[in-house]
Amino acid sequence: MSRVGTVTVVPGRPPGARHVLTTKSPPVTPPAADRRPPVGRSAAGLAGALLLLLATVVLSLGIGAKPLSPGQVWDGLLHSDSAAYTLVREMRLPRTLLGLLAGTALGLGGAVMQSLTRNPLADPGLLGINAGAAAAVVSAISFLGVTSFTGFVWFAFAGAGAVAVLLYAVGGGRAATPARLALAGSALNAALFSYVNAVQLLDTASLDRMRFWTVGSLASAQGYTVVRVAPFVLAGLVAALLLARPLNAMAMGEDAARSLGADPGRVRIAAIVTVTLLCGAATAACGPIIFVGLMVPHLVRALTGPDLRRLIPYCAVLSPALMLAADVFGRVIVRPSELQVGVVMVVAGGPVFLYFVRRHGGSRA
């Protein structure tokens, strides 16, 4: 019986004599999506994340120019005759709900984009997706006189989608590397925000309407904004959950993905549409906010591993917690005034981004 192996020439034997050495197959490493923590530990971690989110919600409702105790917050939520009713129900509750929705959208958008591009530095804000939505909305405000979320959102979708497709094409398509995508995204981001700033300087009448929106803010949240943005974020959440398994397959390579029943072309299109839906809705509602989609997926990946079926639920919980925590911090750091959440995220996320660049610089995810 013959055995296939590595053919080598053994010293001391005639030149024609060869010796066949059998080789052992390397141990099979399970796919990344199968290397995950036990179910019990994952469930306990998710329960802890939900408690953290609940704590940030309570802080968001209670902290501001006029601090409220948990009891006052509860009375303001339930009793219309409470002295805190107007402050809690009409001002802080819409702001908190918008923070929940926008944080969820940005975190999920970052998770899907990082998986799609295999780029650990991918973030909708850093790669120009949010800037595309912002440029489209600012154009609508300045040139078309659009002033409501109903008008903003469709322009935001158009701008985010156009930049997502352009980024994928300029970055190299299927041959895209993290470095090429980061460079292409940085260039698009800089160009689009330069356009936004130019429009603001040239159109002083629209400047007041745009100045808080373009730095990213939850301060102007209204109940109708929450109601209108919620369906888009919920649709994006469902789409992200449905994409978890095919994106896991794509992480093993296109051939492996096809063998597992995933169509790489359709998965890419669905992922781009999902990122556009999530980031377009969040940007239309509260302006361009960056780093949420970069920081949270990295943190979650350390807890759950790369399996998107576990990573996405964690991101949906921890991303709004980060958003609300940043908003609360902005309210107290310069009290009685406040610092917009977009500014807080830039200050907090900048050092984290530099750390990730140093850690992942030049490597392919």
Side-chain angles (χ1 to χ4, degrees):
M1 180 176 63
S2 62
R3 291 178 295 182
V4 178
T6 303
V7 179
T8 61
V9 177
V10 179
R13 294 198 175 195
R18 295 178 181 271
H19 181 66
V20 178
L21 299 175
T22 59
T23 58
K24 295 181 179 180
S25 300
V28 178
T29 302
D34 292 333
R35 300 196 297 271
R36 50 184 183 256
V39 174
R41 188 170 66 183
S42 178
L46 189 58
L50 286 169
L51 289 176
L52 178 62
L53 176 60
L54 179 60
T56 59
V57 168
V58 173
L59 290 175
S60 180
L61 292 173
I63 293 179
K66 180 181 179 181
L68 300 175
S69 67
Q72 290 174 312
V73 170
W74 185 255
D75 287 341
L77 285 172
L78 299 182
H79 305 119
S80 59
D81 58 347
S82 170
Y85 180 83
T86 300
L87 179 60
V88 173
R89 287 293 295 269
E90 297 183 10
M91 298 177 65
R92 292 186 185 172
L93 182 60
R95 181 172 185 160
T96 300
L97 293 176
L98 184 59
L100 290 172
L101 292 170
T104 299
L106 295 174
L108 293 178
V112 172
M113 177 163 281
Q114 288 179 15
S115 178
L116 174 67
T117 61
R118 303 183 195 178
N119 182 357
L121 302 179
D123 172 74
L126 295 175
L127 296 185
I129 307 297
N130 292 354
V137 171
V138 166
S139 298
I141 292 173
S142 181
F143 303 131
L144 301 178
V146 178
T147 58
S148 67
F149 173 79
T150 305
F152 286 168
V153 67
W154 304 112
F155 287 95
F157 287 152
V163 172
V165 173
L166 183 60
L167 173 67
Y168 189 73
V170 174
R174 296 183 180 182
T177 64
R180 291 183 66 178
L181 285 169
L183 288 173
S186 298
L188 289 171
N189 203 45
L192 289 167
F193 273 120
S194 296
Y195 168 78
V196 169
N197 291 332
V199 172
Q200 288 180 310
L201 290 174
L202 294 174
D203 186 3
T204 55
S206 301
L207 179 60
D208 286 339
R209 295 200 301 268
M210 293 188 289
R211 62 192 181 97
F212 284 112
W213 183 88
T214 53
V215 298
S217 174
L218 302 176
S220 59
Q222 300 291 333
Y224 70 86
T225 306
V226 174
V227 171
R228 290 172 182 174
V229 77
F232 298 109
V233 177
L234 292 177
L237 172 61
V238 172
L241 290 170
L242 293 176
L243 281 170
R245 188 178 295 273
L247 283 174
N248 280 341
M250 289 277 287
M252 295 183 284
E254 291 194 8
D255 292 338
R258 291 190 183 94
S259 69
L260 294 173
D263 185 330
R266 291 182 179 178
V267 172
R268 286 192 189 91
I269 293 173
I272 290 174
V273 170
T274 300
V275 172
T276 300
L277 187 65
L278 290 167
C279 297
T283 304
C286 55
I289 298 174
I290 64 174
F291 289 128
V292 176
L294 172 72
M295 296 168 63
V296 175
H298 271 282
L299 172 64
V300 170
R301 204 172 285 113
L303 301 173
T304 67
D307 187 354
L308 286 173
R309 291 171 295 179
R310 294 172 183 263
L311 187 144
I312 285 176
Y314 268 87
C315 285
V317 175
L318 291 177
S319 297
L322 175 63
M323 177 77 86
L324 291 179
D327 187 45
V328 170
F329 181 79
R331 297 184 213 174
V332 300
I333 191 64
V334 290
R335 187 182 288 177
S337 184
E338 70 176 62
L339 202 61
Q340 305 305 316
V341 64
V343 178
V344 175
M345 286 307 307
V346 168
V347 174
V352 177
F353 176 65
L354 293 177
Y355 167 76
F356 288 143
V357 168
R358 183 177 177 83
R359 181 179 176 185
H360 297 285
S363 64
R364 185 181 179 90

